[in-house]
Amino acid sequence: MQYPKAITKLIESFSKLPGIGHKTAERLAFYVISDMKDEDATKFARALVDSKRELFECSKCAFITDSNPCNICADEQRDTSILAVVESSKDVLSLEKMQSFRGRYHVLGGVLSPLDGIGPEDLGISPLIERLKNEEIEEIILALSATLEGDATSQYLARLLKETGIRITRIARGLEMGRSIDYADEVTLIRALEGRVEL
Amino acid sequence: MQYPKAITKLIESFSKLPGIGHKTAERLAFYVISDMKDEDATKFARALVDSKRELFECSKCAFITDSNPCNICADEQRDTSILAVVESSKDVLSLEKMQSFRGRYHVLGGVLSPLDGIGPEDLGISPLIERLKNEEIEEIILALSATLEGDATSQYLARLLKETGIRITRIARGLEMGRSIDYADEVTLIRALEGRVEL
């Protein structure tokens, strides 16, 4: 049996998304076909096309933007002396949701990962060093993932940036909120102990 | 901070899909923006639009199609004496994958669900009865979900179609392949016992 092309093409497109297997792609495609309003499908299609056409990386911080510099870099209410170094634009979104960080960002576009062939030259490290020459930064907060690669990248950057004399910090490691001790993994517990604070 | 509209619109569109929460929608949107090829995003957008423009329900069996009657109804190699009644077009796809069922289908478009206000008139039951008058059907296989609603719908249809004199069957219930007895739920075990066969 030959299925209508429009079905197979839609399933194929959904399958290309990360974490979406073939079964889920089928479920989503049939939802679009049978249950989604025509209007919403059109909006979805336009959002896809627009996202590729209108968005680019901010020339200053590499955050995804539709204006240059991006809204964060252009915001004069921001504290220009603090810079958070993050892995991706998505991480900027996560940190912005807290509404408590008032500095600016620098998006690396990944972390060091020798196994995947990702070295320093593949990340936005040279632009970061360039920025530090032109801006009055007093503190760089390394806000990378608590993974082997994230930690290695933090250590690499800390060593590299030491000579600038700028204060380099890293976000804390410890128990996540709501986590009970007996469910925490060993490495987390070690980090939580090491990072203990006076009460 | 105002995010670029193209980002928020894409996140919104992904959020409208079933089983996709806000976090996943963000992840997918950023994947499209940062990692998907322009070409693939364009294909995805076109697949969405085409799926709504080119597809409709087969006038005979209600399967999603781009030609009328659909490829299955039009296939002369098919056994026209057996009809499988299924809930949705997606179920047709699942059954077709086995490549062992050679009859045709009738898509109900749902199952009876009084709590959701879905009664017999909301399903493709009248078209089914109409079909039975015009086609030489010898067996109707009820291939609905093994849920309360699916079972109630099967019983409703069996009672309704009894007077046609056509043989009515329901697909078997029992242990799924690979399932060990001690992991099976009680109702499944009861059904498996009831449906035991001679060896």
Side-chain angles (χ1 to χ4, degrees), chain A residues 111-140:
Chain A
V111 283
L112 295 175
S113 177
L115 285 177
D116 302 314
I118 299 173
E121 66 289 347
D122 299 310
L123 306 177
I125 294 177
S126 312
L128 172 62
I129 290 168
E130 214 47 45
R131 261 186 101 166
L132 299 180
K133 287 180 190 159
N134 303 318
E135 298 177 32
E136 296 286 322
I137 310 284
E138 289 165 21
E139 180 178 355
I140 295 173

Side-chain angles (χ1 to χ4, degrees), chain A residues 1-7 9-11 13-14 16-20 22-24 26-38 40-52 54-55 63-67 71-72 75 78 89-90 92-94 96-97, chain B residues 1-7 9-11 13-14 16-20 22-24 26-38 40-52 54-55 63-67 71-72 75 78 89-90 92-94 96-97:
Chain A
M1 218 282 283
Q2 276 285 48
Y3 297 113
K5 266 191 189 162
I7 298 184
K9 281 190 177 170
L10 191 56
I11 295 173
S13 280
F14 274 118
K16 283 193 179 142
L17 296 170
I20 306 280
H22 193 76
K23 278 252 175 190
T24 307
E26 279 183 4
R27 195 168 52 80
L28 295 176
F30 275 99
Y31 173 80
V32 169
I33 294 165
S34 306
D35 300 313
M36 192 178 250
K37 282 188 223 154
D38 279 19
D40 284 338
T42 312
K43 269 190 201 164
F44 193 173
R46 197 171 304 136
L48 283 165
V49 173
D50 287 352
S51 76
K52 300 304 277 188
E54 295 176 7
L55 301 176
F63 179 55
I64 292 294
T65 179
D66 57 2
S67 59
N71 289 340
I72 298 177
D75 185 350
R78 292 267 174 174
S89 286
K90 221 188 138 300
V92 174
L93 230 64
S94 303
E96 282 299 289
K97 266 187 204 146
Chain B
M1 218 283 284
Q2 276 285 47
Y3 296 113
K5 265 191 188 162
I7 298 184
K9 281 189 177 171
L10 191 56
I11 296 173
S13 280
F14 274 118
K16 283 193 180 143
L17 297 171
I20 307 279
H22 192 76
K23 277 253 175 192
T24 308
E26 279 182 4
R27 194 169 52 82
L28 295 176
F30 275 98
Y31 173 80
V32 169
I33 294 165
S34 307
D35 300 314
M36 192 177 249
K37 281 187 223 155
D38 280 19
D40 285 337
T42 311
K43 269 190 202 164
F44 193 173
R46 197 172 303 136
L48 282 166
V49 172
D50 287 353
S51 75
K52 301 303 279 188
E54 295 175 7
L55 300 175
F63 179 54
I64 292 294
T65 178
D66 57 1
S67 59
N71 289 341
I72 298 177
D75 185 351
R78 291 268 174 173
S89 286
K90 220 187 139 299
V92 173
L93 229 65
S94 304
E96 282 298 290
K97 266 186 205 148

